[in-house]
Amino acid sequence: MNPFHQIVPEFENTGAALRLNIVAHGCARLDQRWADVSIRPPYSRLYYMIDGEGEVIVEKQKIKLHGGKVYLFPAGTTIAYRCPKSMTQLYFHLETRTADGYDLFTRTHQPVELPVEIDATQLTADYLSGGYLPEMRVRSRVETDVARCIAASGLEETLLHQPSAFLQAVFRTVQKQLRSSLTIAEIARELSLSESSLTKRFRREFGTPLGRYMDEILAQEIARRLLQSDESIQTIAEELGFCDPFYLSRFFRAHRELSPREYRLRMKAQI
């Protein structure tokens, strides 16, 4: 069992939880074949550059990747990347979910660049060692650098802000009963509210229409299952309440630009 897949700490700040999960990781020696476009991934990328150089384009901004730096590219942001010659990096794909079910870093489209605070060679040695204590050091380093990226992105205030009891109840209901057939009427009955009161209050407090929020949480869940499991599209459709895989495909393409099959094939192999 790979211990890095078990990193799921929860940090409590005045009632708001941040759930940090590492969904993929590795040490990669890359060359000119490292070139692709990542379309709105459900995770953030944390890169520790060991040596060499690379390039990432985010929002028409070209960012040079240099050794001795750590970079975070936010979840939900489409990026293009390439390696002109060669480079070595440690990479971690991270979920940092908050109470509303969104990834914390989807609130910013700006990448983060910071100096690596420890010797990159030692970090790589710890990662590759397979020993329990070195793995602990790497886990601690990742958590520390996620915290540094949160601060650099100005997102700490988001963690300190506690959603109202009303919003928390809506979040829990949507996430617990998540399926394509879930309706606003069902949520309203669950919370003993009229549909009108529910939708107006949700938009006023959260700033997004409830229907749009439900669709985005569902699209995120489909993306996670496509990338983090080997479930068939048929199984995912059945478990999330779609009448057939074709309806799931139409829904997913409308939110992620690719069919579920294309998304899985393109994204699952990416670093």
Side-chain angles (χ1 to χ4, degrees), residues 36-250:
D36 205 345
V37 176
S38 179
I39 299 176
R40 297 189 63 191
Y43 50 77
S44 296
R45 286 175 160 89
L46 190 70
Y47 290 157
Y48 291 90
M49 288 293 296
I50 310 304
D51 59 44
E53 292 186 351
E55 293 179 357
V56 172
I57 299 176
V58 184
E59 302 283 316
K60 299 182 180 180
Q61 175 187 4
K62 182 181 289 187
I63 299 167
K64 296 281 189 179
L65 307 182
H66 299 286
K69 300 283 188 177
V70 57
Y71 299 86
L72 183 135
F73 297 98
T77 302
T78 297
I79 67 172
Y81 56 83
R82 75 183 192 95
C83 176
K85 293 183 179 179
S86 65
M87 67 180 190
T88 305
Q89 65 171 225
L90 288 179
Y91 68 89
F92 296 88
H93 295 172
L94 311 166
E95 291 179 336
T96 53
R97 278 193 274 176
T98 50
D100 55 16
Y102 287 158
D103 192 284
L104 176 66
F105 287 106
T106 60
R107 293 161 172 84
T108 177
H109 295 292
Q110 292 301 312
V112 178
E113 175 184 335
L114 297 169
V116 176
E117 292 184 330
I118 64 171
D119 180 70
T121 302
Q122 182 59 53
L123 181 64
T124 305
D126 283 346
Y127 178 85
L128 295 174
S129 73
Y132 183 73
L133 289 179
E135 286 168 356
M136 286 183 66
R137 289 195 292 268
V138 175
R139 288 198 297 268
S140 177
R141 184 71 256 162
V142 169
E143 291 173 12
T144 296
D145 286 329
V146 168
R148 294 172 67 208
C149 290
I150 290 171
S153 299
L155 293 172
E156 188 172 4
E157 187 64 31
T158 300
L159 294 179
L160 295 174
H161 175 72
Q162 182 178 6
S164 69
F166 163 75
L167 284 179
Q168 291 185 51
V170 177
F171 298 154
R172 285 194 302 269
T173 302
V174 172
Q175 293 171 48
K176 183 178 180 180
Q177 301 186 25
L178 187 63
R179 64 186 189 281
S180 66
S181 57
L182 179 63
T183 65
I184 291 174
E186 289 179 77
I187 299 170
R189 285 195 298 271
E190 179 78 16
L191 301 181
S192 301
L193 294 169
S194 69
E195 290 184 52
S196 177
S197 296
L198 170 63
T199 54
K200 288 179 180 178
R201 184 173 176 183
F202 185 85
R203 183 161 191 167
R204 183 174 67 249
E205 292 193 22
F206 194 61
T208 298
L210 179 54
R212 185 184 302 170
Y213 168 75
M214 294 163 63
D215 283 351
E216 180 56 27
I217 294 298
L218 184 58
Q220 287 182 14
E221 182 61 22
I222 296 169
R224 289 190 189 100
R225 294 192 184 203
L226 289 170
L227 300 185
Q228 297 175 28
S229 79
D230 294 321
E231 292 178 312
S232 68
I233 295 171
Q234 172 77 44
T235 298
I236 295 172
E238 290 174 356
E239 291 183 350
L240 292 178
F242 287 90
C243 58
D244 58 57
F246 302 105
Y247 178 49
L248 181 147
S249 294
R250 288 195 295 271

